[in-house]
């Protein structure tokens, strides 16, 4: 029929449907993995935030609790009572010195007493004319009015005399039932903020009006979370709680509320952009404050994106494996059909039995040859990458051996031939390691002399070192022996040395320093160069597969990743650091061979 599809368009349509289905499944799986990883990372972030909030609350309570007894003791002091009953110069001097001594012993910011009219009669800072509270009137301060009305008070504000912030605790001073004054201690909470800032935290404490007065970030202090009502602004101006502060809004943008009580918020970053945070709150009802902790959501997004990428890679690998399996089944089916056809032809044409057998043998040989070519095609790139430098070394040794033979130096000829034999054996072993890279398995463990492995790696790179005029300083003890595989350890050294030479290309000083020393964990081998060093942005990506800073076509970014895996299989570690005087240093830590 005219509308019947031919086999080729039908196969194309089926392939398009399969590709579309695979894309849809991959997208759904990536979305699910992203949401799942995001939820897990956010839950961990929330748990950490809850713990941090508890620590912050304890630090604040401890900082205030150390001094809450002071106003009570001052209010019971007989000299203070006498001064408030009958103010005199002699009594004021005695109380000033008494408060100065008590304040120094307790470590508080200031300790002072005011009469029932709010006038400060004595203070621990009486000796400093510029900072002294003596003679100042504080009847407008809420902590004074609270002590008069309820017997005690607590209040945070900026000092109108000193201009320094502090937390004020007050206690009424009574003679019998009569109020004669108020004792006040000022507590400096700045050390808490410095600890937060030093720890890189994002924490802020707000009062009942939503004004930030304690924060790990100095530019957040004395800012309102939201625009303040006029009545609140007027009341703050009257009490001078945040004297000489404009209390501009912080620019906090509220996002959705999470199920665990946390909230997504945005804060202005550089320019017009906003940075997203997870904000958690903890109330301090005894102070009327609220502690807020902000967690950066960028690591959450990165972890979720990584999970989505891994999921996509896993699905695509499974799809590729399924496609290869289907292709193999198709090949086996075609082979089976070919054998059936050949057998039928043999039965039908007995006269052509010998010819048919010859054709069958040729077909089988072609299939075997095709399999060999396919295997060679898969291994060619890796094999060329790994044996290129041994081949270059062999060519160098052959050239030098020819010259030595012409000179009649048979001993050196034998040495060169032995080295060529070792390199040939190494190339044979390298080809076998290609399959080891394709599957995870334990490496062969033996006692490997570090000096010999380093010498062979240097020999492989000898022509490159001479071409780049690299000076090599080598200090490796002959007794340095580690647990590992000789060939794979040489591969690690070759990768690290080649990277070091690449980093020094075009530099004025090109020097390689190779050392080995014993420590408590075995042997530490250091490969140090005088190149450009490691950029801070690349510190945590060096050993990721396919990460490279080289130009396109100059590397796949697999050398350091493979080296990291080899060293780890030996029970060791590989790390990178910058030298103080410039350049990079790769440190290989391996267990000592007993």
């Amino acid at each position: 029929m005219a509308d019947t599809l031919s086999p080729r368009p039908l196969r194309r349509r089926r392939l398009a449907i399969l590709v579309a289905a695979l894309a849809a499944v991959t997208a759904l799986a990536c979305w699910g993995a992203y949401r799942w990883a995001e939820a897990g990372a956010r839950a961990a972030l929330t748990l950490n935030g809850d713990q941090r909030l508890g620590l912050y609350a304890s630090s604040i309570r401890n900082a205030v609790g150390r001094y809450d007894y002071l106003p009570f003791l001052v209010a019971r002091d007989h000299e203070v009572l006498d001064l408030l009953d009958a103010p005199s110069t002699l009594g004021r001097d005695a109380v000033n010195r008494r408060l100065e001594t008590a304040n120094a012993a307790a470590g508080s910011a200031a300790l002072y007493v005011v009469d029932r009219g709010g006038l400060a009669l004595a203070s621990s800072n009486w000796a400093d004319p510029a900072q002294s509270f003596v003679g100042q009137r504080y009847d407008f301060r809420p902590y004074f009015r609270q002590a008069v009305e309820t017997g005690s008070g607590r209040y945070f504000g900026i000092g109108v005399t000193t201009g320094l912030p502090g937390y004020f605790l007050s206690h009424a001073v009574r003679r019998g039932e009569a109020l004669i004054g108020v004792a006040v201690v000022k507590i400096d909470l700045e050390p808490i903020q410095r600890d937060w800032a030093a720890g890189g935290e994002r924490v802020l404490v707000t009062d009942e009006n939503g004004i930030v007065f304690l924060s790990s970030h100095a530019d957040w202090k004395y800012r309102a979370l939201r625009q303040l009502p006029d009545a609140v602004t007027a009341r703050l101006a009257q009490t001078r709680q945040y004297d000489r502060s404009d209390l501009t809004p912080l620019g906090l943008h509220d996002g959705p509320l999470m199920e665990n009580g946390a909230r997504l918020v945005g804060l202005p970053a550089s320019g017009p952009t906003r940075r997203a945070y997870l904000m958690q709150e903890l109330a301090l009802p005894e102070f009327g404050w609220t502690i807020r902790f902000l967690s950066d959501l960028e690591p959450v997004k990165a972890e979720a994106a990584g999970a989505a990428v891994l999921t996509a890679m896993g699905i695509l690998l499974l799809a590729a494996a399924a496609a290869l399996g289907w292709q193999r089944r198709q090949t086996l089916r075609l082979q089976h059909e070919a054998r059936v056809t050949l057998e039928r032809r043999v039965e039908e044409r007995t006269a052509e039995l010998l010819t048919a057998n010859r054709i069958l043998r040729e077909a089988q040989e072609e299939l075997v040859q095709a399999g060999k070519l396919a295997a060679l095609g898969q291994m060619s790139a890796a094999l060329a990458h790994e044996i290129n430098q041994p081949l270059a070394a062999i060519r160098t040794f052959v050239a030098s051996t020819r010259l030595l033979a012409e000179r009649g130096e048979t001993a050196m000829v034998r040495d060169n031939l032995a080295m060529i034999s070792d390199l040939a054996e190494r190339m044979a072993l390298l080809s076998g390691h290609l399959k080891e890279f394709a599957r995870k398995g334990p490496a062969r463990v033996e006692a490997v002399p570090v000096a010999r492995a380093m010498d062979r790696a240097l020999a492989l790179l000898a022509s490159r070192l001479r071409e780049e005029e690299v000076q090599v300083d080598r200090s490796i003890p002959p007794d340095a022996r580690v647990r590992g595989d000789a060939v794979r350890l040489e591969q690690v050294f070759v990768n690290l040395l080649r990277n070091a030479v690449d980093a020094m290309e075009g530099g004025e000083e090109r020097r390689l320093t190779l050392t080995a020393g014993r420590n408590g964990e075995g042997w530490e081998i250091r490969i140090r160069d005088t190149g450009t060093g490691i950029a801070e942005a690349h510190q945590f990506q060096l050993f990721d597969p396919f990460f490279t800073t080289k130009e396109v076509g100059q590397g796949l970014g697999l050398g350091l990743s493979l080296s990291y895996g080899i060293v780890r299989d030996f029970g060791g570690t590989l790390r990178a650091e910058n030298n103080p005087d410039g350049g990079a240093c790769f440190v290989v830590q391996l267990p000592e061979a007993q």
Side-chain angles (χ1 to χ4, degrees):
M1 297 178 63
D3 58 346
T4 302
L5 292 175
S6 62
R8 181 170 295 179
L10 182 59
R11 286 197 297 270
R12 290 179 178 175
R13 176 174 292 183
R14 290 176 178 174
L15 180 60
I17 293 175
L18 287 175
V19 170
L22 177 62
V25 170
T26 303
L28 288 174
C30 290
W31 180 84
Y34 184 95
R35 301 297 297 176
W36 175 79
E38 183 184 37
R42 190 176 292 169
L45 206 63
T46 303
L47 179 60
N48 176 70
D50 290 338
Q51 295 172 349
R52 303 301 297 175
L53 284 173
L55 291 175
Y56 302 147
S58 297
S59 64
I60 292 175
R61 290 189 175 103
N62 291 336
V64 175
R66 291 172 54 191
Y67 307 104
D68 57 3
Y69 68 94
L70 280 176
F72 178 81
L73 291 182
V74 171
R76 298 296 184 271
D77 188 271
H78 66 280
E79 292 185 355
V80 172
L81 293 172
D82 293 342
L83 176 64
L84 292 174
D85 272 338
S88 65
T89 302
L90 184 62
R92 179 182 294 107
D93 292 342
V95 174
N96 279 335
R97 291 182 173 83
R98 195 173 186 86
L99 293 178
E100 182 180 22
T101 302
N103 184 71
S108 52
L111 190 61
Y112 56 104
V113 292
V114 298
D115 63 13
R116 59 187 176 186
L119 180 65
L121 298 183
S123 173
S124 60
N125 60 4
W126 63 276
D128 185 357
Q131 302 288 329
S132 176
F133 296 164
V134 177
Q136 301 293 330
R137 186 166 293 280
Y138 298 105
D139 56 336
F140 62 92
R141 284 296 203 180
Y143 64 80
F144 174 79
R145 296 198 298 268
Q146 293 169 5
V148 171
E149 295 171 0
T150 65
S152 63
R154 48 179 66 216
Y155 175 76
F156 181 91
I158 298 177
V160 295
T161 302
T162 63
L164 300 176
Y167 188 62
F168 298 86
L169 297 176
S170 61
H171 196 279
V173 182
R174 298 181 184 276
R175 176 79 77 176
E177 296 296 327
L179 176 71
I180 61 175
V182 174
V184 186
V185 62
K186 181 180 180 180
I187 305 170
D188 184 11
L189 298 181
E190 290 297 315
I192 298 178
Q193 299 178 101
R194 288 195 292 269
D195 292 341
W196 294 345
E201 306 286 7
R202 299 181 187 86
V203 58
L204 48 88
V205 182
T206 59
D207 62 11
E208 67 276 7
N209 297 314
I211 298 173
V212 180
F213 62 91
L214 293 177
S215 175
S216 58
H217 288 56
D219 53 350
W220 290 355
K221 289 181 63 175
Y222 311 125
R223 305 277 297 276
L225 295 183
R226 296 163 188 84
Q227 186 66 42
L228 295 175
D230 293 339
V232 174
T233 304
R235 185 174 70 252
L236 294 175
Q238 180 182 2
T239 61
R240 300 174 65 184
Q241 181 175 5
Y242 302 107
D243 197 29
R244 296 184 292 274
S245 298
D246 53 10
L247 305 178
T248 57
L250 187 59
L252 185 72
H253 177 72
D254 288 336
L257 186 66
M258 301 289 100
E259 63 277 0
N260 50 19
R263 181 181 293 275
L264 295 179
V265 299
L267 275 177
S270 59
T273 61
R274 286 181 175 271
R275 192 171 182 89
Y277 295 98
L278 184 70
M279 185 174 72
Q280 296 170 256
E281 301 179 358
L282 178 64
L284 296 176
E286 66 270 33
F287 302 103
W289 301 343
T290 302
I291 308 177
R292 290 175 168 86
F293 180 66
L294 302 179
S295 302
D296 193 356
L297 290 176
E298 290 301 321
V300 174
K301 295 178 182 178
E303 184 174 344
V309 170
L310 290 177
T311 301
M313 292 177 61
I315 292 176
L316 293 178
L317 287 175
L318 289 176
L324 289 175
W326 178 84
Q327 183 65 35
R328 177 174 175 78
R329 287 194 299 272
Q330 290 295 103
T331 302
L332 293 176
R333 182 179 62 81
L334 291 175
Q335 291 176 353
H336 177 71
E337 292 177 356
R339 286 197 300 270
V340 170
T341 301
L342 288 174
E343 290 173 358
R344 188 183 304 114
R345 291 182 60 189
V346 169
E347 294 175 354
E348 293 175 353
R349 303 176 183 180
T350 55
E352 301 177 0
L353 178 61
L354 295 178
T355 304
N357 287 336
R358 185 175 64 255
I359 294 174
L360 179 59
R361 285 195 300 273
E362 292 176 354
Q364 291 174 338
E365 290 174 358
E366 290 175 357
L367 288 174
V368 172
Q369 185 63 22
K372 291 180 180 179
L373 292 176
L376 287 175
Q378 294 174 354
M379 293 190 300
S380 61
L383 186 60
H385 176 75
E386 295 294 338
I387 70 174
N388 183 54
Q389 292 175 340
L391 283 175
I394 288 176
R395 286 197 297 268
T396 302
F397 283 123
V398 168
S400 63
T401 302
R402 184 180 296 114
L403 294 175
L404 293 172
E406 292 174 356
R407 297 174 184 173
E409 298 181 7
T410 57
M412 297 185 68
V413 169
R414 282 194 298 271
D415 292 340
N416 281 7
L417 290 176
M419 184 61 71
I420 291 173
S421 176
D422 289 344
L423 289 172
E425 182 180 357
R426 167 180 166 77
M427 289 165 54
L429 292 174
L430 285 175
S431 63
H433 286 316
L434 292 177
K435 293 189 289 184
E436 294 180 10
F437 285 132
R439 69 175 187 274
K440 183 175 178 61
R444 183 178 63 185
V445 177
E446 58 187 359
V448 181
V450 177
R452 186 177 66 184
M454 186 65 75
D455 287 342
R456 294 187 175 182
L458 289 171
L460 291 176
L461 295 174
S463 60
R464 176 75 186 282
L465 295 173
R466 287 193 299 271
E467 178 184 349
E468 297 291 338
E469 299 180 352
V470 177
Q471 181 177 349
V472 179
D473 296 336
R474 179 182 174 280
S475 178
I476 300 178
D479 61 337
R481 301 170 67 86
V482 297
R483 290 209 310 264
D485 177 81
V487 174
R488 300 183 75 185
L489 183 58
E490 291 171 23
Q491 293 171 357
V492 172
F493 288 162
V494 167
N495 286 337
L496 298 180
L497 292 172
R498 186 169 59 242
N499 284 346
V501 174
D502 291 341
M504 295 186 292
E505 186 175 359
E508 295 182 359
E509 180 185 8
R510 294 185 286 276
R511 180 188 299 272
L512 271 176
T513 304
L514 313 176
T515 61
R518 183 185 282 111
N519 57 22
E521 300 178 3
W523 284 94
E524 183 181 83
I525 303 108
R526 288 179 169 266
I527 299 177
R528 177 176 175 176
D529 62 59
T530 57
T532 57
I534 304 169
E536 184 178 356
H538 301 154
Q539 286 282 352
F540 303 102
Q541 299 175 278
L542 283 178
F543 302 107
D544 292 347
F546 303 107
F547 173 77
T548 179
T549 59
K550 300 177 181 178
E551 298 293 335
V552 176
Q554 296 183 5
L556 296 177
L558 289 174
L560 287 179
S561 176
L562 293 176
S563 299
Y564 184 87
I566 291 173
V567 174
R568 184 183 58 190
D569 289 343
F570 294 160
T573 59
L574 173 60
R575 71 179 191 273
E577 58 191 35
N578 283 320
N579 299 318
D581 54 351
C585 180
F586 283 84
V587 183
V588 181
Q589 178 72 48
L590 289 171
E592 182 174 10
Q594 300 298 327

